[in-house]
Amino acid sequence: MANSESLDKVVLELRRGLIVLAVLSQLGDEQYGYSLLKLLSDQGLEVDQGTLYPLLRRLETQGLLESVWKLEEARPRRYYVISAEGEKLLPKLKKEWAGIVSVMNKMLA
Amino acid sequence: MANSESLDKVVLELRRGLIVLAVLSQLGDEQYGYSLLKLLSDQGLEVDQGTLYPLLRRLETQGLLESVWKLEEARPRRYYVISAEGEKLLPKLKKEWAGIVSVMNKMLA
DNA sequence: TGACATACTGTGTTATACATAGTATTATGT
DNA sequence: ACATAATACTATGTATAACACAGTATGTCA
């Protein structure tokens, strides 16, 4: 395997789990899939459509998000927003994330 | 699903990809599986045996690690150390990691 | 009117952590 | 001397989920 492929693979792995946290953190204001996609990429986190849409559905199934179809706009969009349960989870997640970062910083120093 | 289960699940996901980076960063000095396990947990990263051992083999298959059995010690141990290819990869990975962290920090702020 | 951005759905595959169990040796305390 | 814990690794099964890829369809704008 070429070195660049290894890099790509591992970087993908690195980013994988963070997407959930990123998504939850951005859904204090409601977003639809495509707008969230843009919002994330504007901030430097490129996520594939094929990753994001299923993720949103999954997080809704897990009760961390809620969604509604809005048909009155230019075109139908499914809006997602963080749920009460998600709100409770988010600060804990952030704390876990901070802990992980500090562990990694020590380890990489 | 109970809230604490959601947390556990997502935290697991968060940590998942980082283990590779952590392992690579620690294998500048050679370690065997069990000592690496302790080294990581000492620094605050608990990794299951059933996760670490297969990971080490996988990283060796990918050419990022090298290993040798040492039989002359108290008991047989397989020692792992980062390979030349791994050494080339590591700084790039660290850079990617730093980028990800800064993106996440902005996003979570 | 052609191209591009928008917005979502669906399927298949692959990779991989994790759970769990099992084996066996060595060190340690009492 | 014996039980127990720590050490050190192997192996198998399963569930999950990202990613690749493809497809559908509408709005916008030059």
Side-chain angles (χ1 to χ4, degrees), chain A residues 30-94:
Chain A
E30 68 176 7
Q31 301 283 341
Y32 51 97
Y34 199 81
S35 69
L36 181 55
L37 215 55
K38 296 299 168 191
L39 188 60
L40 292 174
S41 90
D42 283 349
Q43 292 175 82
L45 191 67
E46 304 288 341
V47 181
D48 196 273
Q49 286 201 343
T51 296
L52 185 63
Y53 284 110
L55 175 62
L56 289 171
R57 287 196 286 261
R58 176 191 137 210
L59 291 177
E60 186 174 22
T61 303
Q62 291 178 2
L64 303 177
L65 298 181
E66 287 161 1
S67 77
V68 279
W69 274 106
K70 291 201 182 174
L71 304 171
E72 65 271 22
E73 295 182 43
R75 70 181 70 188
R77 291 164 173 161
R78 181 182 281 279
Y79 278 84
Y80 289 89
V81 68
I82 196 166
S83 70
E85 200 178 327
E87 295 259 36
K88 273 199 297 183
L89 192 78
L90 186 54
K92 295 182 197 168
L93 253 186
K94 285 189 185 182

Side-chain angles (χ1 to χ4, degrees), chain B residues 54-73:
Chain B
L55 175 62
L56 288 170
R57 287 197 285 261
R58 174 191 139 211
L59 292 177
E60 185 174 25
T61 304
Q62 291 177 3
L64 303 178
L65 298 180
E66 287 161 1
S67 77
V68 278
W69 273 106
K70 291 200 182 174
L71 304 172
E72 64 271 20
E73 296 183 42

